[in-house]
Amino acid sequence: MVRKGFVHFVPFCGLTYYPQIQMSSVEPERLLLHYRIINKVGEGGMGQVYRAEDTKLGRYVALKLLAPEATRDQTAKRRLLSEAQSASVLNHPNIVTIHAIEEADGIDFIVMEFVEGETLTSYLANNGALPLASLLELGIQIADALDTAHSVGLIHRDIKPANILITPKGVAKVADFGLAKMVRLSTDDIDREALTLAANLTGPGIVLGTAAYMSPEQTRGENLDVRSEIFSLGSVIYEAATRTRAFSGPSVLAIMHAIATVDPPPPSKLRPELPREFDLIIERALAKDKNQRYASAREIADALRNMRASITGTWSGIPIVYDPDLIDRTLPSFVGREPEMKKLESLLQQAIEGTGRIVFITGEPGIGKTSLSDEFLRRARKHHAGILISRGRCVEQYGTGEAYLPFLDAMGELLQGPGRERIAAIMRTYAPTWCMELPTAFASTGALEKLQQETIGATKERMMREMGDALGMLASASPIVLLLEDLHWADPSSVDLLRHLCQRIGTQRLLIAGTFRPEDVERSGHPLKSYKAEMRAHNLCDEIALDSWNREHISEYLDVTFSPNDFPADLTALIHEKTEGHPLFAANLLQYLGERGDLAKTNGRWSLVRPLSEMDLVAPESVRAMISKKIDALEEEERRTLQYASVEGTEFLSSVTAKLLGVDEIDLEESLARISKGHRLIETVGEEDLPDGTLATRYRFSH
């Protein structure tokens, strides 16, 4: 029985339970040594969990009791002692702390940290799948906890949602080390205990939820290492992302068969808003061959952190459980982009009428490229029946290493959607080389072998020509919109294909929209830089460059997000001043004010808890982290230049900074131009005539 607001533990004896034991409760107010029992908060198998008061230290603790009827069972006592000994060596904020193991009145029990909250199982049942940011934070916390356990040679062996506790502040706690084992075996040894556990899998009373998160080698009773834990963690994150188990079945044997032979569908197929990079992380974690998985919990934690940084600017600490009255922690509400939306809708209408186009949506991280793109695709689906829409994503870790990744991603999505038979037939006829790169869609008997024979000696030029032919043929039947995201990570072959398509798209019912960060393209010398300039020079593409919100946009965002409200007009001006209208910064600052309690909902209306003059507005950690990441990308000399310039204040003159640095002013101007274009940390205000008759350029710091 899971009770929200209280700690909950699952059976400490793991896979096996003992139906012959009748559990008996301990009455409230009973003393076990100096622990006063308050109430029972959970039970399972042979263990009972109670909330208690430690009368010596004046704190609440959780007592995990071995039922009196079970004290004669040496296996149960051994598991209780094993859990206490295993977890007591660990000290980590994401692991339930063990205080002591005690015995009183013939009862063995563990004294542990009392955790308010609920299990991940309960949370998913009550709230549904986690938002992406919360999902990444959850995975990082659990992986960090496991990494700490693994560092002392301890593997948990029973990672599942029921053993993950979530506090109201969003902290994940790994519980129940009853099946944990110190890894002391050589690679050639046989884990006899693992064999025993595996043999018991088909016995009566087995909990299906436990088997569903086991690794393939765990179901076979093989010697386990940390990579088995990675598989279980991948299964947990998969379920948190989709609210669906990666492996399921009507019986334990069916689940074991699925674990050994079935690859679950990518999470993005169940939740299209999830990025391709997330699919790749889960795919590697759930590899059947343990040698293909992440080698350690730290590796998967780093992969999740890198993904979090790429989508949120190193955002950290997003609560998993949060008050729904607080502002949305995903994307800012869609405000302030109607002119850009009208431009996109106009280009789509032209494409529908037979004049296709390539359009780039550009801007710095957090400016709203994804928000605009998502809303555009939503409106396109709503207003244009029969249109084909697909999206492909470039990935920082993989994009430059796999040719044509965003196009393969987009075409793969089309081949799994409505009308896939017609799309597959056209691809088979006009783009056989591409079919070889999409084997799951063309895996019928003999098909791949025939395609392989037909495509021997295929060149890059042939692949580009085939894709142009296939898209043209598809567009002749239905208009197509392709969204290619994060092109600043695109491989050179994808950029070459874009250049090829822009020569043909003008007579096709095809619209290709691509998003990228200009500073990343500029700084890295990405081939997209020169190709885009060439396409713009020949009027073969459009660009929609997103700027920050103005005060009216922030006012609209406040009204949409906090409705209804009686905020003073000065709040809009203050938010704009502190964030300079950057959408992500503004949203995060308002979120911070809500979490700090400065914004509150009373009698159905939002209002300020205290006057603006008394509010100390500091930049949230997410904002500081994003700016810090930009500064870290500077060269040492560039960083030194900005340090000296900052002495003058928010705005500075090039001539003054040159004198402070002792460098030539023309050389400094060139350096400042590179910083402005490649990092977007400063911007030009204008030129000024100084009293001595010289001309200087005035700059200001962005953000």
Side-chain angles (χ1 to χ4, degrees):
M1 194 76 180
V2 179
R3 298 182 58 190
K4 190 170 183 178
F6 295 97
V7 70
H8 169 73
F9 291 93
V10 297
F12 63 81
C13 51
L15 298 176
T16 308
Y17 85 136
Y18 299 80
Q20 73 273 18
I21 299 297
Q22 300 297 318
M23 303 298 293
S24 59
S25 297
V26 179
E27 63 275 8
E29 302 301 322
R30 178 177 175 180
L31 280 174
L32 292 175
L33 299 180
H34 55 275
Y35 303 105
R36 183 175 62 85
I37 302 295
I38 298 176
N39 62 305
K40 185 167 70 173
V41 294
E43 68 174 63
M46 298 174 64
Q48 297 178 332
V49 183
Y50 292 85
R51 185 186 188 197
E53 180 187 4
D54 184 336
T55 57
K56 278 189 176 180
L57 298 178
R59 64 180 179 181
Y60 290 116
V61 294
L63 303 186
K64 188 171 188 178
L65 277 61
L66 186 62
E69 300 89 342
T71 56
R72 294 183 299 276
D73 189 295
Q74 293 305 309
T75 299
K77 294 187 70 171
R78 180 172 58 83
R79 291 228 180 274
L80 185 76
L81 179 62
S82 174
E83 175 174 0
Q85 292 175 334
S86 299
S88 64
V89 302
L90 303 175
N91 182 17
H92 192 275
N94 299 116
I95 297 176
V96 173
T97 302
I98 300 295
H99 298 314
I101 182 168
E102 305 280 12
E103 188 275 333
D105 300 335
I107 300 175
D108 294 289
F109 60 96
I110 299 175
V111 184
M112 63 186 71
E113 171 189 9
F114 178 75
V115 181
E116 291 193 359
E118 59 185 322
T119 66
L120 180 57
T121 300
S122 174
Y123 178 78
L124 295 176
N126 295 331
N127 301 278
L130 297 178
L132 177 58
S134 302
L135 183 65
L136 298 177
E137 186 66 25
L138 171 74
I140 291 167
Q141 291 186 29
I142 300 174
D144 284 345
L146 294 179
D147 182 55
T148 295
H150 297 165
S151 68
V152 298
L154 186 69
I155 54 175
H156 187 284
R157 298 200 300 179
D158 198 19
I159 292 298
K160 57 187 177 182
N163 283 346
I164 308 298
L165 305 173
I166 307 298
T167 74
K169 292 186 177 180
V171 178
K173 295 271 190 178
V174 178
D176 200 340
F177 279 77
L179 282 180
K181 184 176 182 66
M182 298 299 291
V183 182
R184 296 287 186 243
L185 304 174
S186 71
T187 55
D188 297 327
D189 289 339
I190 297 175
D191 188 347
R192 300 295 180 185
E193 186 176 2
L195 285 172
T196 302
L197 292 174
N200 288 334
L201 277 173
T202 56
I206 297 303
V207 180
L208 296 186
T210 295
Y213 306 96
M214 300 178 76
S215 66
E217 57 270 26
Q218 195 171 7
T219 64
R220 296 189 294 266
E222 297 175 358
N223 181 28
L224 305 182
D225 58 23
V226 298
R227 291 169 295 182
S228 174
E229 214 99 292
I230 301 302
F231 190 95
S232 299
L233 175 58
S235 298
V236 169
I237 299 175
Y238 185 100
E239 184 170 340
T242 64
R243 207 181 177 188
T244 302
R245 285 181 179 172
F247 307 100
S248 60
S251 67
V252 172
L253 289 177
I255 294 174
M256 292 171 63
H257 177 74
I259 290 172
T261 62
V262 175
D263 291 321
S268 65
K269 298 304 177 185
L270 303 178
R271 280 180 64 189
E273 70 272 21
L274 293 175
R276 171 62 175 159
E277 182 182 358
F278 182 77
D279 290 346
L280 295 171
I281 292 173
I282 296 300
E283 178 183 322
R284 184 175 176 187
L286 295 181
K288 306 299 184 188
D289 182 354
K290 63 183 179 182
N291 294 315
Q292 296 180 8
R293 296 177 207 147
Y294 293 98
S296 67
R298 179 173 297 181
E299 277 194 15
I300 190 171
D302 288 344
L304 294 169
R305 282 192 176 92
N306 288 337
M307 181 178 174
R308 181 179 66 182
S310 70
I311 64 171
T312 63
T314 60
W315 171 264
S316 61
I318 299 179
I320 297 169
V321 181
Y322 58 88
D323 184 347
D325 282 337
L326 293 181
I327 72 173
D328 185 10
R329 289 164 167 80
T330 53
L331 289 171
S333 299
F334 184 76
V335 299
R337 301 299 184 201
E338 286 305 325
E340 293 85 354
M341 181 61 68
K342 288 180 180 178
K343 175 66 174 177
L344 286 171
E345 290 176 338
S346 173
L347 292 172
L348 175 58
Q349 188 58 45
Q350 293 176 32
I352 291 173
E353 295 171 358
T355 306
R357 198 73 170 167
I358 290 178
V359 56
F360 296 109
I361 302 171
T362 64
E364 63 180 305
I367 203 69
K369 300 184 295 296
T370 299
S371 181
L372 174 63
S373 302
D374 287 348
E375 180 65 13
F376 169 61
L377 294 187
R378 187 190 70 80
R379 294 188 188 186
R381 286 190 179 97
K382 179 179 179 181
H383 299 299
H384 302 282
I387 194 171
L388 288 177
I389 296 177
S390 187
R391 67 200 306 164
R393 300 173 177 88
C394 303
V395 180
E396 183 176 16
Q397 288 89 337
Y398 304 97
T400 57
E402 183 172 351
Y404 306 112
L405 179 60
F407 287 96
L408 289 169
D409 196 16
M411 299 311 296
E413 186 173 298
L414 284 177
L415 286 165
Q416 295 189 35
R420 53 184 172 272
E421 293 81 7
R422 177 179 66 87
I423 297 171
I426 291 176
M427 291 289 291
R428 176 67 181 79
T429 303
Y430 293 92
T433 307
W434 287 81
C435 298
M436 288 295 298
E437 301 297 323
L438 299 162
T440 57
F442 300 93
S444 59
T445 304
L448 289 179
E449 290 80 359
K450 187 176 181 181
L451 283 168
Q452 189 172 18
Q453 294 175 0
E454 295 177 2
T455 57
I456 292 176
T459 62
K460 177 179 178 179
E461 289 72 21
R462 174 177 170 178
M463 289 196 71
M464 292 193 295
R465 185 174 64 254
E466 283 186 1
M467 180 52 66
D469 293 343
L471 287 174
M473 185 56 62
L474 287 170
S476 66
S478 303
I480 302 175
V481 176
L482 293 183
L483 172 63
L484 307 178
E485 297 183 276
D486 295 328
L487 288 174
H488 48 275
W489 290 326
D491 59 279
S493 296
S494 293
V495 179
D496 286 340
L497 179 53
L498 269 179
R499 185 186 187 193
H500 173 80
L501 292 175
C502 81
Q503 306 288 339
R504 311 175 53 162
I505 200 171
T507 58
Q508 298 174 342
R509 296 200 295 170
L510 172 63
L511 177 64
I512 299 177
T515 69
F516 68 85
R517 304 172 188 170
E519 62 268 36
D520 284 9
V521 169
E522 180 73 28
R523 187 168 60 248
S524 65
H526 196 279
L528 184 61
K529 174 184 176 182
S530 58
Y531 286 174
K532 192 199 79 164
E534 177 187 328
M535 288 187 278
R536 288 296 301 272
H538 293 87
N539 193 30
L540 296 174
C541 71
D542 290 273
E543 180 176 2
I544 296 176
L546 300 184
D547 292 323
S548 297
W549 285 341
N550 57 33
R551 292 190 180 185
E552 289 73 21
H553 298 150
I554 292 179
S555 177
E556 183 183 354
Y557 178 77
L558 280 169
D559 290 339
V560 169
T561 309
F562 300 91
S563 177
N565 69 74
D566 53 11
F567 295 147
D570 290 347
L571 178 61
T572 296
L574 185 60
I575 296 298
H576 187 269
E577 176 187 348
K578 292 294 183 180
T579 66
E580 297 183 348
H582 189 288
L584 182 62
F585 291 179
N588 285 351
L589 180 56
L590 287 166
Q591 173 186 315
Y592 171 74
L593 294 178
E595 292 175 341
R596 197 173 70 174
D598 292 328
L599 310 179
K601 198 173 187 179
T602 307
N603 298 325
R605 294 187 67 85
W606 288 93
S607 60
L608 292 182
V609 173
R610 49 182 172 158
L612 285 177
S613 58
E614 299 178 6
M615 292 170 57
D616 179 23
L617 290 189
V618 297
E621 176 61 28
S622 58
V623 175
R624 294 196 297 272
M626 182 181 289
I627 297 173
S628 177
K629 185 178 180 182
K630 285 192 171 190
I631 293 174
D632 290 343
L634 292 169
E635 299 290 340
E636 182 61 35
E637 191 60 33
E638 294 173 332
R639 190 179 296 112
R640 181 170 177 267
T641 296
L642 294 187
Q643 287 174 340
Y644 275 74
S646 67
V647 173
E648 299 180 55
T650 304
E651 296 188 359
F652 62 92
L653 288 171
S654 58
S655 58
V656 176
T657 305
K659 288 181 180 179
L660 289 174
L661 287 165
V663 299
D664 182 77
E665 187 173 347
I666 295 178
D667 293 338
L668 177 67
E669 290 276 5
E670 293 177 352
S671 176
L672 293 173
R674 288 194 300 270
I675 295 173
S676 175
K677 198 169 185 180
H679 300 276
R680 304 294 177 96
L681 285 168
I682 58 174
E683 56 189 43
T684 304
V685 176
E687 294 184 337
E688 288 188 14
D689 290 318
L690 301 181
D692 62 0
T694 60
L695 188 67
T697 303
R698 179 171 291 277
Y699 296 87
R700 68 184 298 272
F701 284 95
S702 302
H703 314 313

